[in-house]
Amino acid sequence: MTETPIRTRFAPSPTGMFHVGGARSALFNWALAQQDPEGRMVLRVEDTDAARNRPEWTDGIIRALAWLGISDADPHFEGPYFQSSYADQHRATAERLRAQGRAYFCDCTRERVQERRDNPNLGYDGFCRDRGLEPGPGRALRFRVPEGGPTVVEDRIRGSVEFDHAAIEDFVIARADGSPLFVLANVVDDVEMGITHVIRGEEHLSNTPKQQLLWEALGLTPPTWAHLPVIVNEQRKKLSKRRDKVALESYQEEGYLAEAMVNYLMLLGWAPGDDREIMPWEEMRPLFRVEDVNSSSAFFDEKKLRAFNGEYVRALDLDDFIHRCQPWLAGDAAPWDPADFDPAVFRAVAPLAQSRVAVLSEIVPNVDFLFLAEPVEDEKSWTKAMKPGVGGEMLEAARDRFADPAQEWTAEALKAATEEAGASLGLKLGKAQAPVRVAVTGRTVGLPLFESLEVLGRDRVLARIGAALERLRAQEKDAAAE
């Protein structure tokens, strides 16, 4: 007998942003689907909420998945399907359950239920179970939860989870207008699409006994359930879009690499073993087992993600690094005129930058001094480096050394010249180079100074040191006049 191919599903609701938690769920589903030669991960868009049914949001989901490497370019991908396309099946299933006596109409409002129970915290009391109401205005369709006994959800991560039927009220599966609620639509869609595995966040665990009851009422075997641990921030609070940086797109725009993000997200609740963490997708995928996912909450550590990304950035070959930097060098993010950008100059400093940036957007402040007419003005850097009795004196000494026609213009020679100029003022190299760095680059940190001076060239270096000296003199004059 041939084993049924794995069919997982990823069913996000369009919200205008793609949550990192959803990305983690998608990757776990994708790993499982790819392990089966005939496996499929089905993308189903939950689009029945009119307020969220915007094509551009759906397109955003598809783009985000593609960035993670999940797309129809791989035969394991299927979709997208849209929940709204199955409206007829939703209604037919609701009617089937009613005809079988597994569902009944109810005209109770929430207020009437609360009045009868004299407690706003208690749920529906089954008042209409045996009234035999026909469909009509204000009459919702409720599922008849079996009396007595529990529903046991066999979860691949959490084991057997028991839900007492006494704690599950007869829940609504369709509104008075016939439109289904999520709990019914989700089951019908999974049935129609032949879903065999449901891997999703633990916030859906409370819905699972209701969905399992519906599967059983339809005479069908429920899919394999697996509920992933919640993702929390450093305060151990569930990630929230109102409080935390959770949009996958924001990390992409900042210059995180897709492969680093994939690697990190896969480790939120799961580990490949052998204490390895940096591991490409092709090595992680065959090792992934749903049963090995930890049920405890997973900490989304942005600092660790940043460190991961830095590892991946440094592992790129030079041409790839240069290529991936282009959106920040030639696009709207670049602060210089496109005509002032010199690819050859960037290539010369790219190896230096690659070893220092953790995210690609950091390439701009590292190299902007090369392509701007004047260095940026960073007051904090200026104040720190241009201290009285140090800044001006060191710049004058450096200018005299650098202006000497006999001064060789190489990084090594420039370092020696700066060290000698500093020594003449009683300054060690670390203190001596700070004013020069700020005068030339505008910042106290950045690429190695002497390699930067070599690439920038003698004329531009001397011009910037001269401009810095003029600024210092103007400041001194203003201070004396006060």
Side-chain angles (χ1 to χ4, degrees):
M1 183 176 179
T2 303
E3 187 174 347
T4 302
I6 290 174
R7 289 180 63 81
T8 72
R9 50 93 162 163
F10 178 60
S13 297
T15 61
M17 53 83 79
F18 197 84
H19 197 289
V20 291
R24 191 267 306 261
S25 295
L27 287 168
F28 281 15
N29 278 282
W30 187 235
L32 185 63
Q34 284 194 326
Q35 288 175 0
D36 183 344
E38 301 300 321
R40 297 291 184 274
M41 189 190 91
V42 176
L43 172 60
R44 184 173 75 226
V45 180
E46 310 284 11
D47 66 336
T48 52
D49 184 344
R52 294 181 174 181
N53 189 12
R54 296 171 57 173
E56 62 270 27
W57 288 1
T58 297
D59 291 343
I61 292 172
I62 295 171
R63 286 195 302 272
L65 288 174
W67 185 65
L68 294 172
I70 305 173
S71 74
D72 58 8
D74 189 300
H76 293 90
F77 181 89
E78 188 175 310
Y81 299 118
F82 296 88
Q83 191 171 68
S84 57
S85 301
Y86 293 83
D88 290 344
Q89 291 92 323
H90 300 156
R91 291 177 182 271
T93 302
E95 175 55 31
R96 174 183 167 187
L97 291 169
R98 188 195 69 81
Q100 292 174 344
R102 300 305 303 269
Y104 59 91
F105 284 103
C106 172
D107 62 2
C108 295
T109 63
R110 180 175 300 176
E111 292 73 20
R112 287 173 61 186
V113 171
Q114 291 177 354
E115 288 173 4
R116 283 198 304 270
R117 309 208 72 169
D118 194 28
N119 188 328
N121 297 316
L122 294 177
Y124 177 67
D125 57 1
F127 182 79
C128 294
R129 264 192 166 217
D130 301 313
R131 291 177 64 196
L133 296 178
E134 294 296 320
R139 294 180 177 178
L141 190 65
R142 288 184 180 272
F143 181 78
R144 190 186 299 271
V145 176
E147 296 181 3
T151 283
V152 179
V153 173
E154 298 296 342
D155 191 286
R156 295 281 286 276
I157 296 172
R158 299 163 194 279
S160 298
V161 186
E162 187 172 299
F163 297 87
D164 192 340
H165 289 172
I168 305 175
E169 66 180 20
D170 288 355
F171 52 94
V172 176
I173 59 174
R175 303 176 184 88
D177 63 3
S179 60
L181 266 70
F182 173 82
V183 65
L184 176 65
N186 222 28
V187 169
V188 173
D189 295 344
D190 284 348
V191 171
E192 292 292 325
M193 298 176 187
I195 299 303
T196 62
H197 292 70
V198 173
I199 306 175
R200 57 188 179 181
E202 72 172 43
E203 64 271 18
H204 295 288
L205 182 59
S206 60
N207 299 325
T208 306
K210 297 177 182 179
Q211 293 175 342
Q212 184 160 307
L213 283 168
L214 287 170
W215 276 87
E216 292 168 353
L218 295 171
L220 300 171
T221 301
T224 296
W225 307 108
H227 290 87
L228 306 176
V230 67
I231 301 177
V232 299
N233 62 18
E234 59 185 4
Q235 286 82 37
R236 295 307 187 265
K237 296 179 180 178
K238 182 180 178 180
L239 284 187
S240 167
K241 64 181 180 181
R242 296 179 181 87
R243 180 186 57 240
D244 304 304
K245 182 179 172 183
V246 300
L248 188 72
E249 296 90 341
S250 66
Y251 289 98
Q252 184 179 1
E253 291 165 2
E254 194 175 336
Y256 282 82
L257 304 184
E259 50 266 54
M261 179 63 75
V262 166
N263 189 162
Y264 182 71
L265 291 176
M266 285 294 292
L267 300 181
L268 293 181
W270 173 79
D274 297 327
D275 294 325
R276 289 187 64 189
E277 289 192 317
I278 302 296
M279 183 181 292
W281 171 257
E282 292 303 322
E283 292 183 26
M284 286 190 293
R285 181 190 66 194
L287 298 176
F288 177 75
R289 294 176 71 252
V290 178
E291 295 85 351
D292 293 337
V293 175
N294 195 316
S295 61
S296 301
S297 59
F299 171 36
F300 189 92
D301 186 345
E302 191 174 340
K303 292 180 181 177
K304 187 171 183 178
L305 169 60
R306 179 182 171 85
F308 266 52
N309 202 72
E311 292 279 350
Y312 274 89
V313 167
R314 289 186 286 277
L316 297 173
D317 67 53
L318 183 60
D319 286 339
D320 193 11
F321 173 72
I322 291 172
H323 172 72
R324 297 203 197 199
C325 286
Q326 293 310 304
W328 290 270
L329 299 174
D332 294 337
W336 49 76
D337 187 305
D340 293 331
F341 178 74
D342 188 333
V345 169
F346 178 71
R347 175 172 281 275
V349 298
L352 304 175
Q354 185 176 3
S355 66
R356 283 162 175 76
V357 300
V359 295
L360 295 181
S361 60
E362 292 175 349
I363 195 64
V364 172
N366 272 277
V367 303
D368 58 4
F369 73 95
L370 292 166
F371 309 116
L372 293 171
E374 303 294 338
V376 296
E377 291 189 8
D378 183 272
E379 287 300 327
K380 187 176 181 180
S381 295
W382 178 268
T383 302
K384 182 178 180 180
M386 303 301 179
K387 295 177 181 178
V390 176
E393 290 80 350
M394 184 59 216
L395 288 181
E396 288 177 348
R399 179 193 58 189
D400 292 344
R401 298 269 180 164
F402 294 167
D404 185 348
Q407 174 64 50
E408 185 180 357
W409 204 258
T410 65
E412 185 176 354
L414 291 167
K415 178 181 178 181
T418 303
E419 193 166 20
E420 291 170 3
S424 70
L425 299 172
L427 300 174
K428 292 184 177 180
L429 181 60
K431 296 288 186 181
Q433 68 178 346
V436 178
R437 175 183 290 281
V438 172
V440 174
T441 72
R443 298 183 176 88
T444 55
V445 295
L447 302 185
L449 174 61
F450 305 109
E451 287 80 354
S452 298
L453 298 180
E454 179 180 348
V455 173
L456 191 61
R458 189 192 307 265
D459 291 344
R460 294 180 74 188
V461 168
L462 290 174
R464 291 187 180 186
I465 290 176
L469 284 168
E470 289 181 8
R471 181 179 172 185
L472 280 173
R473 294 189 189 105
Q475 288 179 340
E476 292 170 357
K477 184 177 179 181
D478 291 341
E482 292 180 356

PDB file of all heavy atoms in Angstrom, residues 306-329:
ATOM      1  N   ARG A 306      21.323  39.279  14.303  1.00  0.00           N
ATOM      2  CA  ARG A 306      22.287  40.191  13.685  1.00  0.00           C
ATOM      3  C   ARG A 306      23.659  39.520  13.573  1.00  0.00           C
ATOM      4  O   ARG A 306      24.339  39.643  12.554  1.00  0.00           O
ATOM      5  CB  ARG A 306      22.368  41.469  14.526  1.00  0.00           C
ATOM      6  CG  ARG A 306      23.353  42.505  14.019  1.00  0.00           C
ATOM      7  CD  ARG A 306      23.379  43.709  14.962  1.00  0.00           C
ATOM      8  NE  ARG A 306      24.454  44.600  14.613  1.00  0.00           N
ATOM      9  CZ  ARG A 306      24.389  45.542  13.692  1.00  0.00           C
ATOM     10  NH1 ARG A 306      23.270  45.712  13.010  1.00  0.00           N
ATOM     11  NH2 ARG A 306      25.407  46.319  13.426  1.00  0.00           N
ATOM     12  N   ALA A 307      24.051  38.799  14.624  1.00  0.00           N
ATOM     13  CA  ALA A 307      25.334  38.088  14.585  1.00  0.00           C
ATOM     14  C   ALA A 307      25.314  37.003  13.511  1.00  0.00           C
ATOM     15  O   ALA A 307      26.301  36.820  12.780  1.00  0.00           O
ATOM     16  CB  ALA A 307      25.641  37.487  15.954  1.00  0.00           C
ATOM     17  N   PHE A 308      24.193  36.290  13.413  1.00  0.00           N
ATOM     18  CA  PHE A 308      24.043  35.292  12.356  1.00  0.00           C
ATOM     19  C   PHE A 308      24.232  35.950  10.991  1.00  0.00           C
ATOM     20  O   PHE A 308      24.950  35.436  10.128  1.00  0.00           O
ATOM     21  CB  PHE A 308      22.641  34.672  12.415  1.00  0.00           C
ATOM     22  CG  PHE A 308      22.547  33.404  13.200  1.00  0.00           C
ATOM     23  CD1 PHE A 308      23.026  33.328  14.497  1.00  0.00           C
ATOM     24  CD2 PHE A 308      21.955  32.283  12.661  1.00  0.00           C
ATOM     25  CE1 PHE A 308      22.926  32.167  15.233  1.00  0.00           C
ATOM     26  CE2 PHE A 308      21.848  31.098  13.377  1.00  0.00           C
ATOM     27  CZ  PHE A 308      22.337  31.049  14.672  1.00  0.00           C
ATOM     28  N   ASN A 309      23.581  37.075  10.819  1.00  0.00           N
ATOM     29  CA  ASN A 309      23.640  37.735   9.517  1.00  0.00           C
ATOM     30  C   ASN A 309      25.063  38.164   9.180  1.00  0.00           C
ATOM     31  O   ASN A 309      25.511  38.045   8.039  1.00  0.00           O
ATOM     32  CB  ASN A 309      22.703  38.943   9.497  1.00  0.00           C
ATOM     33  CG  ASN A 309      22.305  39.338   8.095  1.00  0.00           C
ATOM     34  OD1 ASN A 309      21.528  38.656   7.440  1.00  0.00           O
ATOM     35  ND2 ASN A 309      22.863  40.434   7.599  1.00  0.00           N
ATOM     36  N   GLY A 310      25.767  38.661  10.193  1.00  0.00           N
ATOM     37  CA  GLY A 310      27.156  39.042   9.964  1.00  0.00           C
ATOM     38  C   GLY A 310      28.002  37.867   9.496  1.00  0.00           C
ATOM     39  O   GLY A 310      28.861  38.015   8.620  1.00  0.00           O
ATOM     40  N   GLU A 311      27.745  36.696  10.071  1.00  0.00           N
ATOM     41  CA  GLU A 311      28.465  35.493   9.636  1.00  0.00           C
ATOM     42  C   GLU A 311      28.186  35.206   8.157  1.00  0.00           C
ATOM     43  O   GLU A 311      29.098  34.866   7.395  1.00  0.00           O
ATOM     44  CB  GLU A 311      28.040  34.293  10.489  1.00  0.00           C
ATOM     45  CG  GLU A 311      28.471  34.363  11.943  1.00  0.00           C
ATOM     46  CD  GLU A 311      29.908  33.935  12.147  1.00  0.00           C
ATOM     47  OE1 GLU A 311      30.507  33.401  11.196  1.00  0.00           O
ATOM     48  OE2 GLU A 311      30.430  34.146  13.255  1.00  0.00           O
ATOM     49  N   TYR A 312      26.938  35.303   7.776  1.00  0.00           N
ATOM     50  CA  TYR A 312      26.574  35.022   6.387  1.00  0.00           C
ATOM     51  C   TYR A 312      27.126  36.085   5.441  1.00  0.00           C
ATOM     52  O   TYR A 312      27.549  35.767   4.320  1.00  0.00           O
ATOM     53  CB  TYR A 312      25.052  34.918   6.254  1.00  0.00           C
ATOM     54  CG  TYR A 312      24.525  33.535   6.544  1.00  0.00           C
ATOM     55  CD1 TYR A 312      24.166  33.158   7.829  1.00  0.00           C
ATOM     56  CD2 TYR A 312      24.390  32.592   5.527  1.00  0.00           C
ATOM     57  CE1 TYR A 312      23.695  31.881   8.104  1.00  0.00           C
ATOM     58  CE2 TYR A 312      23.909  31.314   5.790  1.00  0.00           C
ATOM     59  CZ  TYR A 312      23.559  30.961   7.082  1.00  0.00           C
ATOM     60  OH  TYR A 312      23.105  29.702   7.333  1.00  0.00           O
ATOM     61  N   VAL A 313      27.121  37.342   5.866  1.00  0.00           N
ATOM     62  CA  VAL A 313      27.671  38.410   5.028  1.00  0.00           C
ATOM     63  C   VAL A 313      29.155  38.158   4.773  1.00  0.00           C
ATOM     64  O   VAL A 313      29.643  38.265   3.646  1.00  0.00           O
ATOM     65  CB  VAL A 313      27.449  39.785   5.692  1.00  0.00           C
ATOM     66  CG1 VAL A 313      28.296  40.856   5.003  1.00  0.00           C
ATOM     67  CG2 VAL A 313      25.981  40.179   5.641  1.00  0.00           C
ATOM     68  N   ARG A 314      29.881  37.810   5.819  1.00  0.00           N
ATOM     69  CA  ARG A 314      31.323  37.588   5.665  1.00  0.00           C
ATOM     70  C   ARG A 314      31.635  36.351   4.836  1.00  0.00           C
ATOM     71  O   ARG A 314      32.733  36.244   4.265  1.00  0.00           O
ATOM     72  CB  ARG A 314      31.976  37.491   7.055  1.00  0.00           C
ATOM     73  CG  ARG A 314      32.014  38.824   7.784  1.00  0.00           C
ATOM     74  CD  ARG A 314      32.792  38.746   9.083  1.00  0.00           C
ATOM     75  NE  ARG A 314      32.065  38.042  10.125  1.00  0.00           N
ATOM     76  CZ  ARG A 314      31.147  38.585  10.906  1.00  0.00           C
ATOM     77  NH1 ARG A 314      30.821  39.861  10.741  1.00  0.00           N
ATOM     78  NH2 ARG A 314      30.553  37.880  11.846  1.00  0.00           N
ATOM     79  N   ALA A 315      30.684  35.439   4.749  1.00  0.00           N
ATOM     80  CA  ALA A 315      30.911  34.214   3.977  1.00  0.00           C
ATOM     81  C   ALA A 315      30.641  34.395   2.481  1.00  0.00           C
ATOM     82  O   ALA A 315      30.980  33.516   1.682  1.00  0.00           O
ATOM     83  CB  ALA A 315      30.035  33.089   4.518  1.00  0.00           C
ATOM     84  N   LEU A 316      30.039  35.530   2.086  1.00  0.00           N
ATOM     85  CA  LEU A 316      29.760  35.767   0.663  1.00  0.00           C
ATOM     86  C   LEU A 316      31.068  35.946  -0.100  1.00  0.00           C
ATOM     87  O   LEU A 316      32.031  36.511   0.423  1.00  0.00           O
ATOM     88  CB  LEU A 316      28.914  37.027   0.491  1.00  0.00           C
ATOM     89  CG  LEU A 316      27.514  37.037   1.117  1.00  0.00           C
ATOM     90  CD1 LEU A 316      26.897  38.428   0.984  1.00  0.00           C
ATOM     91  CD2 LEU A 316      26.609  35.995   0.460  1.00  0.00           C
ATOM     92  N   ASP A 317      31.105  35.505  -1.352  1.00  0.00           N
ATOM     93  CA  ASP A 317      32.271  35.861  -2.154  1.00  0.00           C
ATOM     94  C   ASP A 317      32.143  37.336  -2.535  1.00  0.00           C
ATOM     95  O   ASP A 317      31.065  37.916  -2.480  1.00  0.00           O
ATOM     96  CB  ASP A 317      32.427  34.950  -3.374  1.00  0.00           C
ATOM     97  CG  ASP A 317      31.335  35.111  -4.404  1.00  0.00           C
ATOM     98  OD1 ASP A 317      31.071  36.245  -4.848  1.00  0.00           O
ATOM     99  OD2 ASP A 317      30.717  34.090  -4.774  1.00  0.00           O
ATOM    100  N   LEU A 318      33.242  37.947  -2.896  1.00  0.00           N
ATOM    101  CA  LEU A 318      33.277  39.395  -3.059  1.00  0.00           C
ATOM    102  C   LEU A 318      32.274  39.884  -4.097  1.00  0.00           C
ATOM    103  O   LEU A 318      31.564  40.879  -3.876  1.00  0.00           O
ATOM    104  CB  LEU A 318      34.689  39.854  -3.438  1.00  0.00           C
ATOM    105  CG  LEU A 318      34.870  41.370  -3.574  1.00  0.00           C
ATOM    106  CD1 LEU A 318      34.547  42.060  -2.260  1.00  0.00           C
ATOM    107  CD2 LEU A 318      36.297  41.692  -4.029  1.00  0.00           C
ATOM    108  N   ASP A 319      32.177  39.221  -5.232  1.00  0.00           N
ATOM    109  CA  ASP A 319      31.256  39.655  -6.277  1.00  0.00           C
ATOM    110  C   ASP A 319      29.809  39.596  -5.786  1.00  0.00           C
ATOM    111  O   ASP A 319      29.005  40.482  -6.097  1.00  0.00           O
ATOM    112  CB  ASP A 319      31.417  38.793  -7.529  1.00  0.00           C
ATOM    113  CG  ASP A 319      32.691  39.113  -8.292  1.00  0.00           C
ATOM    114  OD1 ASP A 319      33.229  40.223  -8.103  1.00  0.00           O
ATOM    115  OD2 ASP A 319      33.152  38.258  -9.076  1.00  0.00           O
ATOM    116  N   ASP A 320      29.485  38.552  -5.042  1.00  0.00           N
ATOM    117  CA  ASP A 320      28.130  38.425  -4.516  1.00  0.00           C
ATOM    118  C   ASP A 320      27.849  39.533  -3.500  1.00  0.00           C
ATOM    119  O   ASP A 320      26.768  40.130  -3.481  1.00  0.00           O
ATOM    120  CB  ASP A 320      27.946  37.050  -3.873  1.00  0.00           C
ATOM    121  CG  ASP A 320      26.483  36.716  -3.596  1.00  0.00           C
ATOM    122  OD1 ASP A 320      25.603  37.458  -4.083  1.00  0.00           O
ATOM    123  OD2 ASP A 320      26.214  35.715  -2.910  1.00  0.00           O
ATOM    124  N   PHE A 321      28.825  39.808  -2.647  1.00  0.00           N
ATOM    125  CA  PHE A 321      28.657  40.886  -1.669  1.00  0.00           C
ATOM    126  C   PHE A 321      28.407  42.218  -2.375  1.00  0.00           C
ATOM    127  O   PHE A 321      27.502  42.973  -2.008  1.00  0.00           O
ATOM    128  CB  PHE A 321      29.894  40.983  -0.779  1.00  0.00           C
ATOM    129  CG  PHE A 321      29.883  42.159   0.152  1.00  0.00           C
ATOM    130  CD1 PHE A 321      29.036  42.195   1.248  1.00  0.00           C
ATOM    131  CD2 PHE A 321      30.732  43.238  -0.068  1.00  0.00           C
ATOM    132  CE1 PHE A 321      29.015  43.283   2.106  1.00  0.00           C
ATOM    133  CE2 PHE A 321      30.729  44.330   0.785  1.00  0.00           C
ATOM    134  CZ  PHE A 321      29.865  44.357   1.872  1.00  0.00           C
ATOM    135  N   ILE A 322      29.203  42.515  -3.375  1.00  0.00           N
ATOM    136  CA  ILE A 322      29.043  43.768  -4.120  1.00  0.00           C
ATOM    137  C   ILE A 322      27.663  43.825  -4.770  1.00  0.00           C
ATOM    138  O   ILE A 322      26.976  44.850  -4.728  1.00  0.00           O
ATOM    139  CB  ILE A 322      30.164  43.912  -5.168  1.00  0.00           C
ATOM    140  CG1 ILE A 322      31.501  44.136  -4.467  1.00  0.00           C
ATOM    141  CG2 ILE A 322      29.859  45.050  -6.145  1.00  0.00           C
ATOM    142  CD1 ILE A 322      32.698  44.112  -5.396  1.00  0.00           C
ATOM    143  N   HIS A 323      27.244  42.717  -5.345  1.00  0.00           N
ATOM    144  CA  HIS A 323      25.931  42.667  -5.999  1.00  0.00           C
ATOM    145  C   HIS A 323      24.803  42.920  -4.995  1.00  0.00           C
ATOM    146  O   HIS A 323      23.874  43.686  -5.264  1.00  0.00           O
ATOM    147  CB  HIS A 323      25.743  41.305  -6.669  1.00  0.00           C
ATOM    148  CG  HIS A 323      24.360  41.082  -7.195  1.00  0.00           C
ATOM    149  ND1 HIS A 323      23.872  41.727  -8.308  1.00  0.00           N
ATOM    150  CD2 HIS A 323      23.346  40.287  -6.738  1.00  0.00           C
ATOM    151  CE1 HIS A 323      22.631  41.341  -8.530  1.00  0.00           C
ATOM    152  NE2 HIS A 323      22.283  40.475  -7.585  1.00  0.00           N
ATOM    153  N   ARG A 324      24.892  42.296  -3.837  1.00  0.00           N
ATOM    154  CA  ARG A 324      23.818  42.430  -2.857  1.00  0.00           C
ATOM    155  C   ARG A 324      23.779  43.817  -2.223  1.00  0.00           C
ATOM    156  O   ARG A 324      22.754  44.223  -1.678  1.00  0.00           O
ATOM    157  CB  ARG A 324      23.965  41.360  -1.787  1.00  0.00           C
ATOM    158  CG  ARG A 324      23.827  39.945  -2.340  1.00  0.00           C
ATOM    159  CD  ARG A 324      23.417  39.003  -1.264  1.00  0.00           C
ATOM    160  NE  ARG A 324      23.638  37.611  -1.611  1.00  0.00           N
ATOM    161  CZ  ARG A 324      23.036  36.591  -1.008  1.00  0.00           C
ATOM    162  NH1 ARG A 324      22.177  36.824  -0.028  1.00  0.00           N
ATOM    163  NH2 ARG A 324      23.287  35.350  -1.361  1.00  0.00           N
ATOM    164  N   CYS A 325      24.867  44.528  -2.268  1.00  0.00           N
ATOM    165  CA  CYS A 325      24.904  45.896  -1.728  1.00  0.00           C
ATOM    166  C   CYS A 325      24.267  46.922  -2.659  1.00  0.00           C
ATOM    167  O   CYS A 325      23.965  48.045  -2.231  1.00  0.00           O
ATOM    168  CB  CYS A 325      26.346  46.313  -1.444  1.00  0.00           C
ATOM    169  SG  CYS A 325      27.079  45.540   0.012  1.00  0.00           S
ATOM    170  N   GLN A 326      24.053  46.562  -3.905  1.00  0.00           N
ATOM    171  CA  GLN A 326      23.618  47.544  -4.898  1.00  0.00           C
ATOM    172  C   GLN A 326      22.352  48.322  -4.531  1.00  0.00           C
ATOM    173  O   GLN A 326      22.282  49.529  -4.800  1.00  0.00           O
ATOM    174  CB  GLN A 326      23.450  46.867  -6.267  1.00  0.00           C
ATOM    175  CG  GLN A 326      24.740  46.377  -6.898  1.00  0.00           C
ATOM    176  CD  GLN A 326      25.822  47.439  -6.923  1.00  0.00           C
ATOM    177  OE1 GLN A 326      25.619  48.533  -7.458  1.00  0.00           O
ATOM    178  NE2 GLN A 326      26.975  47.127  -6.339  1.00  0.00           N
ATOM    179  N   PRO A 327      21.318  47.703  -3.959  1.00  0.00           N
ATOM    180  CA  PRO A 327      20.126  48.494  -3.616  1.00  0.00           C
ATOM    181  C   PRO A 327      20.415  49.677  -2.703  1.00  0.00           C
ATOM    182  O   PRO A 327      19.712  50.683  -2.744  1.00  0.00           O
ATOM    183  CB  PRO A 327      19.209  47.474  -2.926  1.00  0.00           C
ATOM    184  CG  PRO A 327      19.632  46.157  -3.492  1.00  0.00           C
ATOM    185  CD  PRO A 327      21.113  46.271  -3.678  1.00  0.00           C
ATOM    186  N   TRP A 328      21.447  49.572  -1.874  1.00  0.00           N
ATOM    187  CA  TRP A 328      21.789  50.670  -0.970  1.00  0.00           C
ATOM    188  C   TRP A 328      22.789  51.637  -1.601  1.00  0.00           C
ATOM    189  O   TRP A 328      22.927  52.760  -1.144  1.00  0.00           O
ATOM    190  CB  TRP A 328      22.358  50.103   0.331  1.00  0.00           C
ATOM    191  CG  TRP A 328      21.302  49.422   1.133  1.00  0.00           C
ATOM    192  CD1 TRP A 328      20.492  49.985   2.080  1.00  0.00           C
ATOM    193  CD2 TRP A 328      20.912  48.051   1.042  1.00  0.00           C
ATOM    194  NE1 TRP A 328      19.616  49.046   2.571  1.00  0.00           N
ATOM    195  CE2 TRP A 328      19.846  47.847   1.962  1.00  0.00           C
ATOM    196  CE3 TRP A 328      21.336  46.971   0.281  1.00  0.00           C
ATOM    197  CZ2 TRP A 328      19.223  46.614   2.130  1.00  0.00           C
ATOM    198  CZ3 TRP A 328      20.713  45.737   0.442  1.00  0.00           C
ATOM    199  CH2 TRP A 328      19.668  45.568   1.364  1.00  0.00           C
ATOM    200  N   LEU A 329      23.459  51.207  -2.648  1.00  0.00           N
ATOM    201  CA  LEU A 329      24.466  52.044  -3.286  1.00  0.00           C
ATOM    202  C   LEU A 329      23.910  52.852  -4.447  1.00  0.00           C
ATOM    203  O   LEU A 329      24.377  53.957  -4.726  1.00  0.00           O
ATOM    204  CB  LEU A 329      25.617  51.165  -3.810  1.00  0.00           C
ATOM    205  CG  LEU A 329      26.373  50.344  -2.758  1.00  0.00           C
ATOM    206  CD1 LEU A 329      27.374  49.431  -3.438  1.00  0.00           C
ATOM    207  CD2 LEU A 329      27.057  51.250  -1.745  1.00  0.00           C
TER     208      LEU A 329
END
